[in-house]
Amino acid sequence: MSILKQPNPLLRSLSRESSFALFFTLLYAMLLAWFMGFHELWFDETEPWLLALYSNSYAELLHNKRFEGHPNLWYSLLFVITKFTTNLQALKITQAAFAVGFVYVFLRHAPFSRLFRILFCFGYYGLFEYGLISRLYAIELFTLFLVCTFYPKRFTHWYLYLLLLVLLAQTNLFGFLMAGILGLLLFSEAFKLWKQTPHWAQISHLKKGVGILFWAAGCLFSLWSMVRPNETNASLLTYFHPYYFYQSAARVWQAFVPVPNFITTFWNTSLLRISLEIPLSAVLLTFLLVVFYRTKRLLFPLFLLFAALFVFFALKYEGSLRHHAHFFLYTLAFLWLKSYYDQGSSPAQRLKPAPTWPSAAISFCLTVFAILQVVAGAYALATDWQKPFYPGKQTTQFLKTLPSNYVFATDEGVATSNITAYLGKPVYNLPTGNLKSFYTLDPNEVNDLRPYVLLDWAMALAQQKNAPVILICRSELPYTWAFSPARFIAQFRGNTITQFAFFLYQIDPLPFPKKQMTAEYPAQQVQ
């Protein structure tokens, strides 16, 4: 059975496809809404929300997010939403809207078998990683699948297709790479650098010139918005070590088969060893080479994208499974595009039919991969349903039971930003000495304080506010040895998907002890 559908012009068939897509999209939406009721947002999910919520202007938002390393689209959308509501549930609703959107487009228009489309949407990526977790990847998939859907109309709807490419570039780094590659492919076909281009239409020189400028400006703006300030003054490479090359070489297999270790802390783990995943990745690459060999205009861009991912993961950022998954997502997108070249728009434009065995083989392999993704997704969803994803929400629920005059403070702003989001108000960040609404990944900021100094500063804050201070820490403090009186009141650790913990200490507004404390060891006296 071929993984690629044959087009059916009958309205009856189109109606059946529409009903099929609507039914399973509705089922997906109900499942996603149910699982979202159990999922706890963590700090990577709440950070864009906090940036949007506590930025007083759009210019301030762009300044505050300068260390995020992402384009502006997701943050801009949340900025608009936070002008109408401060309810954190709006973040989940926005995520769900784009997740349901990409699922419908995929179910309705993707040229794959119905079985595969269902398995992908209800598998690890469709329902868990890019559905449940509120990050900027659902909007990427929604835009990418729209690009694939409109691909046959890229010449007849020239500016609309270019607009979709520019929007794709604004989603994240991986959308930017895809938009850049597809733009190059589009203009190479517009200038007739390839023979037998399906759906080709004459484009005037003016439209080509305007299109190039529009696409290039969109991609350059996306790149500019992703570059962190510290990267302009330092090496673009984060590390160079054989370990990262070995890890990166295994990512292709992990992307296609994201089966984790079956433990509570399963997230971003892999069941197989790296030594086995590297040769399996090589087999997959060889197979894709065979599949795309007869459509070289797609083979070259796809492998160029793979090379970019490998270099990025090996030299710049090790990444997580949500990033590595783009080996698989790029493959799906190019298989989608390949279906148009295999079908053609007329007998004169139809490329030579490909052998049937690669089509049957890829149908079988993708179905097997999708089944394994469903297994991984089912385990991930079951674990997220039974176990907290992160201890921040539990910590916040406890904090809300304390008297309203208590002051909340933290030893750092990254991990506890999740607590800030659930509290609905900023907390004091002791290393910076002010209320903190969101964290800034500025490498020039030094946010580490010695434990005893941290307790002293908490005591100073308690005296200043004339109220007890609840100090929220990521690690245990030797509070029994400190001169500043403090007492341990609660801890939240273990039994969570992510390996984080919070320890709570209460410091009352008592006078400073007479004993002297020093932040550092005394300097040696010169004899």
Side-chain angles (χ1 to χ4, degrees):
M1 179 181 64
S2 175
I3 192 69
L4 303 178
K5 298 186 303 180
Q6 297 299 321
N8 192 335
L10 297 177
L11 294 178
R12 187 186 310 171
S13 176
L14 293 176
S15 177
R16 287 198 298 266
E17 284 299 309
S18 180
S19 299
F20 161 78
L22 285 172
F23 174 78
F24 283 101
T25 300
L26 179 61
L27 178 60
Y28 175 91
M30 291 188 296
L31 279 175
L32 182 62
W34 190 80
F35 280 113
M36 275 190 167
F38 297 95
H39 175 68
E40 175 183 358
L41 299 167
W42 69 305
F43 60 84
D44 255 15
E45 296 177 84
T46 58
E47 171 67 358
W49 174 263
L50 293 174
L51 285 165
L53 181 63
Y54 291 106
S55 295
N56 295 321
S57 66
Y58 187 67
E60 186 176 327
L61 169 68
L62 298 184
H63 175 75
N64 291 335
K65 69 160 290 286
R66 64 194 183 280
F67 289 99
E68 288 292 289
H70 297 297
N72 301 329
L73 183 58
W74 179 243
Y75 300 84
S76 302
L77 180 62
L78 294 181
F79 180 78
V80 173
I81 292 173
T82 54
K83 299 310 165 189
F84 296 93
T85 179
T86 60
N87 191 329
L88 189 58
Q89 293 302 314
L91 173 61
K92 289 187 175 182
I93 294 173
T94 305
Q95 161 67 22
F98 284 105
V100 170
F102 82 69
V103 163
Y104 175 77
V105 174
F106 190 81
L107 288 172
R108 178 64 181 84
H109 298 286
F112 305 109
S113 68
R114 287 186 173 185
L115 175 60
F116 176 77
R117 282 179 281 166
I118 293 172
L119 292 175
F120 171 76
C121 292
F122 290 86
Y124 180 84
Y125 295 127
L127 192 53
F128 179 74
E129 192 72 59
Y130 301 135
L132 188 65
I133 299 178
S134 299
R135 295 286 284 128
L136 39 65
Y137 299 99
I139 192 172
E140 177 208 352
L141 289 191
F142 178 63
T143 312
L144 174 61
F145 292 163
L146 283 179
V147 167
C148 294
T149 300
F150 276 89
Y151 194 79
K153 302 178 181 179
R154 61 195 182 282
F155 296 113
T156 57
H157 296 69
W158 179 254
Y159 291 116
L160 176 59
Y161 182 75
L162 285 170
L163 176 61
L164 288 174
L165 289 185
V166 170
L167 287 175
L168 179 60
Q170 311 310 312
T171 57
N172 54 44
L173 171 67
F174 307 101
F176 161 77
L177 294 174
M178 189 66 163
I181 285 294
L182 291 182
L184 292 175
L185 178 60
L186 172 69
F187 293 114
S188 70
E189 290 186 331
F191 285 99
K192 303 186 70 172
L193 300 183
W194 302 92
K195 296 180 179 180
Q196 297 180 335
T197 297
H199 312 102
W200 189 87
Q202 182 69 42
I203 302 295
S204 68
H205 293 300
L206 177 60
K207 291 179 69 174
K208 291 177 186 176
V210 173
I212 291 175
L213 291 176
F214 180 59
W215 165 77
C219 291
L220 288 175
F221 179 75
S222 173
L223 180 62
W224 172 80
S225 65
M226 286 188 287
V227 176
R228 298 180 175 98
N230 58 303
E231 288 176 331
T232 59
N233 301 320
S235 172
L236 292 177
L237 303 183
T238 304
Y239 38 64
F240 184 87
H241 192 279
Y243 165 81
Y244 297 108
F245 280 87
Y246 299 146
Q247 293 289 325
S248 186
R251 300 309 186 195
V252 177
W253 177 260
Q254 293 174 6
F256 279 74
V257 187
V259 179
N261 291 319
F262 293 102
I263 55 178
T264 300
T265 56
F266 70 89
W267 202 38
N268 295 319
T269 65
S270 182
L271 186 63
L272 300 181
R273 294 179 299 176
I274 295 294
S275 59
L276 182 58
E277 289 175 330
I278 291 177
L280 289 173
S281 296
V283 171
L284 271 176
L285 290 173
T286 303
F287 179 62
L288 292 177
L289 177 65
V290 173
V291 170
F292 285 95
Y293 181 76
R294 297 175 66 87
T295 317
K296 294 181 176 60
R297 76 182 74 185
L298 298 182
L299 173 65
F300 296 149
L302 177 61
F303 274 65
L304 184 59
L305 285 170
F306 277 24
L309 292 180
F310 176 85
V311 171
F312 181 71
F313 296 140
L315 298 178
K316 179 62 179 176
Y317 181 61
E318 187 176 4
S320 303
L321 187 54
R322 61 185 178 276
H323 310 118
H324 310 148
H326 285 81
F327 285 111
F328 177 71
L329 297 176
Y330 287 162
T331 301
L332 282 190
F334 273 82
L335 285 172
W336 193 330
L337 303 186
K338 184 177 181 297
S339 69
Y340 301 127
Y341 290 91
D342 291 344
Q343 296 167 4
S345 56
S346 67
Q349 293 176 326
R350 194 182 306 272
L351 301 180
K352 294 181 180 179
T356 57
W357 75 263
S359 181
I362 200 167
S363 173
F364 173 78
C365 291
L366 285 181
T367 302
V368 171
F369 294 150
I371 291 173
L372 294 175
Q373 290 175 15
V374 168
V375 173
Y379 181 80
L381 291 166
T383 306
D384 192 54
W385 172 45
Q386 297 172 352
K387 310 287 185 180
F389 192 88
Y390 189 78
K393 187 176 182 180
Q394 293 176 302
T395 306
T396 306
Q397 290 171 344
F398 175 81
L399 293 175
K400 288 183 176 180
T401 65
L402 300 177
S404 59
N405 67 317
Y406 278 31
V407 178
F408 301 142
T410 178
D411 61 341
E412 61 91 37
V414 176
T416 52
S417 65
N418 159 277
I419 296 175
T420 301
Y422 276 108
L423 276 175
K425 62 180 181 180
V427 300
Y428 279 92
N429 184 275
L430 290 183
T432 60
N434 55 18
L435 281 172
K436 199 76 171 179
S437 305
F438 47 80
Y439 59 80
T440 303
L441 298 175
D442 188 349
N444 296 320
E445 289 186 2
V446 179
N447 294 323
D448 294 330
L449 292 178
R450 292 178 180 270
Y452 299 138
V453 177
L454 190 66
L455 290 171
D456 280 350
W457 287 21
M459 171 65 75
L461 179 62
Q463 289 188 327
Q464 179 187 14
K465 299 298 181 181
N466 193 28
V469 168
I470 303 300
L471 180 57
I472 308 164
C473 296
R474 282 188 56 189
S475 58
E476 294 184 84
L477 297 180
Y479 67 98
T480 57
W481 295 87
F483 291 124
S484 301
R487 59 189 179 91
F488 172 79
I489 58 173
Q491 67 177 4
F492 300 90
R493 65 174 176 180
N495 203 34
T496 58
I497 293 175
T498 52
Q499 294 179 320
F500 286 88
F502 291 115
F503 302 86
L504 274 56
Y505 303 90
Q506 180 172 329
I507 298 92
D508 295 317
L510 301 175
F512 276 109
K514 295 182 179 180
K515 293 183 179 181
Q516 182 180 0
M517 276 294 296
T518 56
E520 303 289 345
Y521 293 107
Q524 294 182 353
Q525 295 182 354
V526 179
Q527 300 294 333

